[in-house]
């Protein structure tokens, strides 16, 4: 077992890998904030090293029209080809031409039934689309599906979620194009209106999943605007006595209107350690809405007036065409709707505008229409009360008044309409409360991006803002107990998302509970939760624990999900309270009364594990085993073999725990099965697989279409360049007249084919045509390029050959110098050895002639330094002996001078390699140049520039290899010399000690011999190094 504070490397290695991986992933991560509007989709991105920014479309626009179109393929060769998908403005432009394949404003169709009022209105506004049902949910309910006129019967209707997933994929692709290279974006936070039901929220989640996005969270539009508002502001702190700020976000878009009352306040909370930090809070206090009031409602007023005046025109009167026929004509309504929206926007800044149409309803029919701002406001008078009502009801929900508000923040493009602003001012009572201090189009998506950065672990923000959202609708709980249907209110419409509640049930058998949303006075089931092991758990408590049925209860912990605000069960368990009896019971009590009970508890034997009552410790949350609520110490009395060997101390602790009295709780976790209900449930596995396959096929088709367009553009641009080559002097010089004529003929044929039959050709055909032209052009271009670059390459190679000759001369000189230095060093070493022998001989004779006093002194000294020398006192002195007691040992231990020599820089093999490579290249160059001189300008070259460059590089590499070895050798030589000198110094020190024992005279002669050899070696090495430096 590891000690505290110690960690083994194997145990830390996986953690280090996770840290490194997460760091690398976070460095290349980004988060999207997406605002799905009825008319436009806006997205913001947060990435490392950059502030929040808007995702631009491919046309560099800051918002994308929420429209998808299938453009029919022009190719009639393969009827199975999928149509081209267009997004945004490109799709809107096709609405008049292909009204049956353009899908605008899909948001109102999410999560609703085929008979919903919103679907009816959608069909009236876009009569060219075919709306059909798609069976989903309970009781055979049908969600909305849309057919494609281009695909016809060969494809099933598209789910609204499937079409929205295509638009989200397009947004994701635009974001990845704007992010750094290699960044893959998968995380997102999406906003939704406060009135969205569970079905609508789940439809958005399904679309995000089909688009490959991982939802970090969702939030209401009003809260997202408030978060963006708070990101650049500070508010008073509650601890300092500051009062909160209340603001109302009024959001009117193309399809709906919402009003959200928000509370802004700062708060000081505990941080890590002993520190505190200040955070900001944004809390939703109340909401209200109008699901069908928006820009489209105003557009429809203009559209109706257009159709009425068009039908009243003289030509239409003559044809006797009723208004209903015009309203059902897809192309006509598409043209009129587009102009009605444009005119409404124009009247926000102008008092009058007009529109003209040609070929309307009939090819020869023309129509002109004029509208003033006063006329539009007269049409919209019926909506005046509806514009003000959300503000009034939102304040009532928050239990506030207009005077409590600091401001009314406007969001949504329709709030720029003068008529709408007048009604908001009337509701506020003071125009000064109206604020336009956030971007009316982008604030919601910017707030969602900020929320995503707060949730994602890849980001660390300097400013912490906590948000508190509401579910929008109340939640009721429904279940059956004792044969009766029961219902209870669980959460209100203003409850905080994330809040938990606990409820207890007396059911003794498996049962199910339903979560229902209270929508317009009716309870709509949204989630069903079934228990799977409740019956078995209750039986276990009764049989093994002896629990009475009245003491058993089942508790559920429930909350509003942080992801979408829908109810969910966090955990569930069955439990009962156990009554424990004091040790000994009544009998032992009687024994104690009569003195029969042991007085010393220490004499009692420890309670054994096999005899003790076992209460297992609480398992993990995922476990299904029985658990003990209060007495975790009793877990030590397990019946396992390892527990039987527990020490006396642990047994005493277990005994002490057993003595304790009081109730204990035994818990058993309950397994649950959760199932979503309603139209928002995902399709069954088979349809879901078909949807995913169809989306994949569309993606592959789009990629193939891009490759085809690139091949077409490449071929077209090459034909233009090739025509210019026909008049280029260099191209003419290196081609024959026959090849130019052939090229001219093929260019004419390719141009005619491109704008004729080739318009529907496939990618392979474009590539084949391009190859046919390149086979003529590229060889000529290559000959021209070779002729232009060849002289320079030849000159470069010859320069390298000259340098090679210089290097070869240097190598020859170096080899000769090394040889001479080696011979000189050998001679010097021989002379030094003879001098050492002569010195040793004279030292021996001097030792024999010395006085007895000196001999005795030397013997004593020798005995002290080497005990083994006493055994050889009577032996004759050997001048070649290696013992330290001999005077001659100091001269014989000198390191041989040859050890200080360094190996030569170059060898004969190096010279032979240089010579061989030079001769080979010279021979090759002469041969190739001879062949090249025989060729003309239209012939393929015999010698290529790349071959000349490769030969020159070979020579350069050889030179660099030798040069690098020469540069590093002196460093090694110096190191060798240093080591030799070190050895000599050590030897001299040894000689100095020996001469003190033998006498000063022998020491002097030995030192003279050593100095002579050392000076000879040093001078030789210095000369050798100097000669190498001169050569370099």
């Amino acid at each position: 077992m590891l000690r505290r504070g110690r960690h083994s490397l194997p145990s830390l290695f996986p953690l280090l890998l996770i840290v490194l991986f997460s760091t690398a992933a976070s460095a290349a991560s980004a988060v999207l904030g997406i605002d799905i509007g009825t008319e436009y989709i806006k997205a913001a991105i947060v990435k490392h090293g950059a502030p929040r920014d808007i995702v631009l479309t491919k046309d560099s626009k800051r918002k994308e029209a929420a429209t998808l179109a299938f453009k029919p393929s022009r190719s009639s060769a393969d009827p199975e080809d999928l149509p081209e998908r267009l997004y945004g403005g490109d799709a809107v432009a096709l609405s008049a031409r292909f009204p049956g394949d353009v899908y605008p404003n899909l948001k109102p169709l999410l999560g609703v039934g085929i008979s919903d009022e919103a679907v009816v209105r959608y069909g009236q506004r876009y009569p060219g689309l075919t709306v059909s049902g798609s069976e989903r949910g309970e009781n055979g309910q049908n969600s909305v599906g849309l057919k494609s006129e281009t695909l016809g019967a060969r494809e099933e209707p598209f789910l609204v979620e499937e079409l929205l997933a295509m638009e989200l994929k397009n947004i994701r692709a635009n974001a990845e194009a704007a992010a750094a290279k290699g960044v893959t974006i998968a995380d997102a936070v999406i906003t939704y209106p406060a009135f969205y039901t569970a079905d609508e929220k789940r439809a958005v989640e399904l679309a995000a999943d089909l688009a490959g996005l991982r939802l970090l969270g969702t939030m209401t539009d009003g809260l997202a605007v408030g978060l963006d508002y708070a990101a650049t502001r500070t508010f008073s702190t509650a601890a300092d006595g500051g009062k909160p700020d209340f603001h109302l976000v009024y959001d009117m878009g193309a399809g709906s209107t919402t009003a959200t009352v928000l509370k802004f306040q700062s708060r000081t909370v505990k941080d890590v350690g002993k520190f505190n930090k200040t955070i900001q809070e944004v809390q939703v206090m109340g909401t209200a809405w109008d699901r069908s009031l928006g820009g489209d409602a105003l557009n429809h007023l203009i559209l109706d007036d257009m159709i009425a005046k068009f039908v009243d025109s003289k030509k239409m009167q003559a044809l006797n065409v009723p208004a209903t026929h015009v309203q059902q004509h897809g192309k006509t309504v598409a043209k009129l709707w587009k102009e009605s929206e444009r005119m409404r926007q124009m009247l926000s800044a102008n008092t009058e505008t007009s529109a003209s149409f040609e070929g309307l309803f009939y090819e020869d029919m023309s129509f002109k229409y004029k509208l003033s701002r006063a006329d539009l406001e007269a049409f919209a008078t019926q909506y005046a009360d509806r514009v003000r009502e959300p503000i009034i009801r939102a304040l009532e929900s928050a239990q506030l008044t207009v005077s409590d508000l600091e401001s009314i923040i406007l969001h949504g493009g329709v709030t720029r309409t003068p008529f709408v602003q007048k009604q908001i001012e009337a509701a506020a009572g003071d125009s000064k409360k109206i604020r336009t201090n956030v971007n009316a189009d982008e604030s919601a998506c910017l707030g969602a991006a900020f929320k995503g950065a707060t949730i994602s672990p890849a980001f660390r923000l300097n400013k912490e803002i906590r948000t508190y959202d509401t579910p929008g609708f109340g939640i009721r709980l429904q279940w059956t107990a004792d044969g009766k249907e029961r219902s209870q209110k669980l959460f209100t419409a203003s409850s905080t998302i994330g809040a938990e509640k606990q409820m207890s049930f007396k059911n003794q058998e498996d049962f199910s509970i339903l979560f229902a949303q209270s929508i317009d006075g009716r309870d709509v089931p949204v989630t069903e939760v079934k228990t799977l092991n409740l019956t078995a758990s209750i039986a276990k408590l009764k049989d093994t624990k002896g629990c009475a049925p009245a003491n058993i209860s089942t508790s559920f912990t429930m909350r509003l999900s942080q992801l979408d605000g829908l109810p969910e069960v966090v955990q569930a368990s069955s439990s009962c309270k156990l009554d424990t009896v004091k040790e000994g019971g009544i009998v032992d009590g009687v024994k104690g009364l009569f003195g029969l009970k042991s007085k010393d508890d220490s004499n009692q034997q420890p309670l054994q594990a096999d005899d003790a009552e076992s209460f297992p410790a609480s398992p993990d949350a995922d476990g299904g085993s029985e658990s003990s609520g209060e007495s975790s110490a009793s877990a030590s009395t397990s019946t396992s073999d390892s527990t039987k060997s527990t020490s006396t101390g642990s047994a005493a602790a277990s005994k002490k725990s057993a003595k304790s009295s009081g109730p204990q709780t035994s818990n058993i976790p309950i397994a649950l099965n959760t199932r979503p209900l309603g139209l928002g449930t995902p399709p069954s596995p088979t349809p879901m697989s078909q949807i995913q396959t169809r989306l994949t096929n569309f993606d592959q088709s789009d990629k193939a279409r891009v490759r085809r367009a690139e091949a077409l553009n490449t071929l077209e641009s090459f034909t233009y360049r090739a025509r210019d080559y026909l008049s280029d002097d260099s191209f003419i010089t290196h081609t024959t007249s026959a090849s130019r004529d052939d090229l001219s003929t093929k260019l004419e044929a390719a141009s005619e084919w491109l704008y004729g039959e080739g318009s529907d050709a496939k990618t392979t055909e474009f590539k084949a045509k391009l190859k046919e032209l390149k086979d003529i052009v590229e060889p000529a271009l290559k000959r021209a390029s070779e002729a232009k670059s060849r002289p320079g390459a030849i000159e470069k190679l010859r320069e390298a050959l000259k340098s090679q000759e210089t290097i070869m001369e240097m190598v020859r000189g170096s080899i000769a110098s090394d040889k001479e230095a080696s011979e000189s060093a050998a001679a010097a070493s021989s002379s030094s050895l003879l001098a050492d022998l002569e010195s040793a001989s004279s030292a021996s004779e001097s030792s024999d002639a010395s006085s007895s006093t000196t001999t005795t002194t030397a013997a004593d000294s020798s005995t002290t330094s080497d005990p083994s020398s006493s055994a050889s006192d009577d032996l004759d002195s050997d001048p070649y002996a290696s013992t330290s007691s001999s005077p001659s040992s100091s001269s014989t231990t000198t390191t041989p001078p040859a050890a200080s020599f360094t190996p030569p820089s170059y060898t004969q093999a190096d010279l032979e390699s240089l010579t061989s490579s030079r001769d080979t290249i010279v021979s090759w160059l002469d041969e190739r140049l001879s062949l090249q001189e025989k060729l003309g300008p239209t012939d393929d070259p015999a010698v290529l520039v790349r071959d000349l460059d490769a030969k020159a590089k070979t020579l350069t590499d050889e030179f660099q290899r030798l040069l690098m070895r020469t540069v590093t050798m002196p460093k090694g030589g110096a190191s060798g010399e240093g080591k030799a000198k070190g050895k000599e110094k050590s030897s001299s020190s040894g000689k100095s000690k020996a001469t003190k024992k033998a006498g000063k005279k022998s020491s002097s002669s030995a030192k003279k011999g050593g100095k002579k050899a050392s000076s000879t070696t040093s001078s030789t090495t210095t000369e050798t190094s100097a000669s190498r430096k001169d050569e370099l």
Side-chain angles (χ1 to χ4, degrees), residues 826-1032:
S829 177
S830 179
S831 301
S832 176
L833 183 59
L834 291 176
D836 289 344
L837 292 175
E838 291 175 359
S839 175
S841 178
S842 66
S844 178
E845 293 174 359
S846 175
S847 176
D848 293 338
S850 62
S851 62
S852 59
T853 305
T854 307
T855 304
T856 303
T857 305
D860 296 339
S861 176
S862 176
T863 303
T864 305
S865 62
D866 189 359
S868 64
S869 64
S870 63
S872 59
D873 288 341
D874 297 333
L875 299 178
D876 294 335
S877 177
D878 184 2
Y880 299 100
S882 61
T883 58
S884 61
S885 61
S886 176
S888 62
S889 65
S890 61
S891 62
T892 58
T893 56
T894 305
T895 303
S900 64
F901 291 137
T902 58
S905 301
Y906 304 112
T907 63
Q908 188 65 29
D910 295 331
L911 181 60
E912 292 175 357
S913 176
L914 290 172
T915 304
S916 175
S917 62
R918 177 190 177 281
D919 294 344
T920 301
I921 292 175
V922 169
S923 175
W924 175 84
L925 181 61
D926 292 341
E927 178 186 356
R928 289 287 142 186
L929 292 181
S930 176
L931 294 175
Q932 184 63 40
E933 291 176 356
K934 299 177 183 179
L935 300 176
T938 59
D939 297 323
D940 292 335
V943 56
L944 300 177
V945 172
R946 69 167 181 268
D947 295 335
L948 294 170
D949 292 340
K951 300 296 183 183
K953 186 177 184 301
T954 301
L955 296 175
T956 304
D957 292 344
E958 184 74 12
F959 165 71
Q960 291 178 352
R961 181 180 64 83
L962 294 176
L963 180 60
M964 293 301 296
R965 193 174 68 178
T966 305
V967 171
T968 56
M969 283 305 295
K971 181 179 179 181
S975 177
E977 292 173 12
K979 291 180 180 179
K981 290 180 181 179
K983 290 181 180 179
E984 290 176 12
K985 184 176 181 180
S986 177
S987 178
S988 299
S989 176
K991 288 187 291 181
S992 176
K993 293 179 180 179
T995 52
K996 287 180 182 179
K997 304 172 187 176
K1000 295 181 179 180
K1001 185 176 180 180
S1002 60
S1003 175
S1004 301
S1005 61
K1007 286 182 179 180
K1008 290 179 180 179
K1011 287 181 179 179
K1012 182 178 180 181
S1014 177
S1015 62
T1016 304
T1017 303
S1018 178
S1019 62
T1020 304
T1021 305
T1022 304
E1023 291 174 1
T1024 303
S1025 300
S1027 64
R1028 288 177 185 158
K1029 291 179 181 179
D1030 293 340
E1031 290 172 355
L1032 290 174

Side-chain angles (χ1 to χ4, degrees), residues 521-568:
R522 56 191 180 92
D523 293 338
V524 180
V526 296
T527 305
E528 180 187 41
V529 180
K530 290 183 178 181
T531 61
L532 302 179
N533 62 335
L534 178 62
T535 304
S537 300
I538 297 296
K540 187 174 183 180
L541 289 175
K542 292 178 180 179
D543 297 340
T544 62
K545 302 300 180 182
C547 296
N551 294 335
I552 300 176
S553 65
T554 302
S555 63
F556 283 68
T557 301
M558 296 162 282
R559 71 178 178 190
L560 295 172
S561 172
Q562 293 281 7
L563 177 64
D564 50 19
L566 297 180
E568 62 180 0

Side-chain angles (χ1 to χ4, degrees), residues 63-378:
K63 58 183 179 180
E64 186 86 273
T67 304
L68 167 69
F70 294 150
K71 184 179 180 181
S73 175
R74 292 182 297 177
S75 175
S76 57
D78 189 359
E80 296 299 322
D81 284 346
L82 294 174
E84 180 182 1
R85 292 182 297 183
L86 298 178
Y87 303 94
D90 295 338
V92 173
L94 295 178
S95 59
R97 294 175 55 194
F98 308 105
D101 286 297
V102 179
Y103 309 98
N105 303 7
L106 296 174
K107 185 177 178 179
L109 304 181
L110 289 170
V112 298
I114 189 66
S115 59
D116 193 90
E117 184 181 353
V119 180
V120 176
R121 288 196 302 267
Y122 189 86
Q124 293 174 350
R125 293 177 183 177
Y126 307 104
L129 290 173
T130 303
V131 181
S132 64
S134 178
E135 184 174 346
R136 282 169 63 188
E138 302 293 325
N139 303 323
Q141 293 176 316
N142 286 328
S143 62
V144 180
L146 296 170
K147 290 185 177 180
S148 169
E149 185 176 326
T150 299
L151 295 174
R154 64 188 174 103
E155 287 288 347
E156 292 294 325
F158 291 89
L159 293 181
V160 179
E161 294 91 333
E162 185 178 359
L163 297 175
L164 180 59
M166 295 181 185
E167 297 183 18
L168 292 177
K169 274 191 175 184
N170 178 58
I171 294 293
R172 179 183 177 185
N174 293 338
E176 290 178 349
K181 186 177 181 180
V183 174
T184 301
I185 301 175
D187 296 339
V189 172
I190 297 180
T191 66
Y192 61 84
F195 55 78
Y196 255 25
T197 63
D199 292 338
E200 292 166 310
K201 293 178 182 179
R202 287 169 178 163
V204 173
E205 294 172 10
L206 176 59
D209 182 61
L210 292 174
L213 292 174
R214 183 170 69 97
L215 272 184
L216 298 179
T218 57
M219 60 193 311
T220 56
D221 297 330
L223 181 59
V225 175
L227 181 56
D228 179 53
Y229 179 81
T232 56
R233 292 168 175 83
T234 58
F235 306 96
S236 58
T237 306
D240 298 336
K243 295 182 179 180
D245 293 346
F246 294 99
H247 298 264
L248 186 144
V249 176
Y250 189 88
D251 184 4
M252 178 179 279
S256 61
T257 301
T258 60
T260 307
V261 179
L262 301 174
K263 182 178 76 171
F264 298 84
Q265 191 169 23
S266 297
R267 188 179 301 276
T268 301
V269 297
K270 186 176 179 58
D271 199 2
V272 179
K274 299 181 180 179
F275 300 98
N276 295 331
K277 62 179 179 180
T278 301
I279 64 169
Q280 295 190 27
E281 296 178 332
V282 183
Q283 182 178 358
V284 176
M285 303 298 294
T287 56
W289 56 79
D290 189 323
R291 295 182 66 108
S292 59
L293 178 64
D296 285 352
L298 299 179
N299 295 343
H300 213 286
L301 296 175
I302 301 175
L303 177 67
D304 291 341
D305 188 59
M306 279 183 175
I307 294 176
K309 291 183 177 180
F310 177 59
V311 172
D312 291 340
S313 62
K314 293 181 179 180
K315 291 185 178 180
M316 293 295 290
Q317 286 287 344
L319 296 174
N320 195 22
V321 178
T324 54
H325 288 188
V326 178
Q327 292 171 351
Q328 296 172 2
H329 194 266
K331 291 186 177 181
T332 300
V333 173
K335 292 179 181 180
L336 295 175
W337 182 266
K338 183 178 179 181
E339 284 300 309
S340 65
E341 181 180 356
R342 184 192 65 81
M343 296 179 72
R344 177 184 60 78
Q345 295 174 353
M346 290 292 295
L347 291 176
S348 297
N350 301 281
T351 57
E352 190 174 276
T353 185
S354 62
S356 59
F357 304 90
E358 293 182 0
L360 189 64
F361 197 77
Y362 292 109
E363 292 183 0
D364 58 345
M365 188 73 67
S366 60
F367 174 64
K368 291 184 178 182
Y369 178 76
K370 290 184 179 182
L371 183 67
S372 66
R373 182 188 295 178
D375 294 335
L376 176 60
E377 293 181 354

Side-chain angles (χ1 to χ4, degrees), residues 229 246-250 391 395 401-410 421 424-437:
Y229 179 81
F246 294 99
H247 298 264
L248 186 144
V249 176
Y250 189 88
I391 299 176
L395 290 172
T401 62
V402 175
S403 60
D404 296 324
L405 297 177
E406 297 291 331
S407 69
I408 296 178
I409 303 172
L410 300 184
Q421 291 183 351
I424 296 175
E425 290 177 4
D430 185 0
S431 61
K432 294 181 180 180
K433 285 186 178 291
I434 309 300
R435 296 285 189 273
T436 56
N437 43 14

